[in-house]
Amino acid sequence: MMRTMKYTVSIEIVRPREEVVRLLADPVHLPKWLRGLVLHEPLSGEHGQVGTTSRVVMQMGQRKVECTETITRREPADLREISKTTVVHFDREIVGEGMWSAVRDRLTESGPETTLWESENEYRFSGFMMKLVALLMPGAFRKQSQQHMQDFKAFAEQGKDVREATD
């Protein structure tokens, strides 16, 4: 039996949406805000483009977790000069040992200089260990997603780099 978990997290970033979208889409910035990122390398396609598959390695405590990420949606495809009413979508599927995940990010303009980032997350667990983790620590996944968003907000608004954190 597969165990499923869904949740949505959101954060408001005090930066214009076009800037937020550019920062999120640029792979150069990933290590600055994606806490625990060891490696993010495209295996096929171009970073951020629909259909691109990447190898992702994350350090989580004493464990390294490796997975494959596939970009399933990016709208609009051209991130320059996005109209104020357009909702920007970044969707991806992530597959790792005993786990499948879909992340659907939406970025909307919540004010002239503010962006609302909403992230809908769905997980399916198939391996015994991952099912056990999901059962015993379901809040850990939501907490990690929220942490990534808070780290991105600090990077976008103040230039903070998680690699320089002392906590």
Side-chain angles (χ1 to χ4, degrees):
M1 188 168 95
M2 192 164 300
R3 181 162 173 77
T4 302
M5 174 174 45
K6 294 181 181 182
Y7 61 87
T8 301
V9 289
S10 63
I11 198 164
E12 194 166 78
I13 301 162
V14 185
R15 283 284 182 260
R17 189 184 49 171
E18 290 74 20
E19 182 182 333
V20 169
V21 167
R22 278 195 304 276
L23 289 171
L24 271 175
D26 190 341
V28 169
H29 299 302
L30 282 171
K32 298 175 185 173
W33 64 269
L34 194 54
R35 192 179 297 256
L37 179 68
V38 174
L39 178 73
H40 191 289
E41 65 177 357
L43 300 172
S44 67
E46 185 182 327
H47 179 87
Q49 299 302 314
V50 172
T52 298
T53 300
S54 299
R55 177 175 167 235
V56 181
V57 180
M58 300 289 291
Q59 184 76 43
M60 302 192 165
Q62 300 300 313
R63 252 179 101 220
K64 272 192 182 161
V65 177
E66 185 170 331
C67 50
T68 304
E69 173 191 73
T70 303
I71 304 301
T72 56
R73 181 179 185 190
R74 175 176 161 166
E75 291 176 14
D78 185 351
L79 299 175
R80 294 170 299 191
E81 298 182 31
I82 305 163
S83 77
K84 293 190 179 302
T85 58
T86 300
V87 177
V88 177
H89 294 270
F90 286 122
D91 296 0
R92 59 201 176 280
E93 288 185 2
I94 302 163
V95 179
E97 191 176 327
M99 183 203 81
W100 171 92
S101 171
V103 180
R104 297 171 194 94
D105 291 333
R106 292 181 306 278
L107 295 120
T108 54
E109 195 169 284
S110 56
E113 296 293 316
T114 55
T115 303
L116 178 62
W117 177 10
E118 296 172 288
S119 183
E120 183 183 308
N121 298 262
E122 177 181 351
Y123 287 87
R124 295 181 193 152
F125 304 101
S126 57
F128 173 75
M129 280 307 294
M130 289 307 293
K131 283 183 184 177
L132 189 62
V133 168
L135 182 67
L136 298 175
M137 300 171 35
F141 292 85
R142 174 189 287 270
K143 185 177 177 184
Q144 181 181 25
S145 297
Q146 195 72 51
Q147 181 69 62
H148 290 320
M149 289 178 120
Q150 288 169 348
D151 288 342
F152 179 80
K153 176 181 172 76
F155 165 68
E157 292 179 358
Q158 301 151 24
K160 288 187 179 176
D161 187 325
V162 295
R163 298 168 298 181
E164 298 167 1
T166 55
D167 52 37

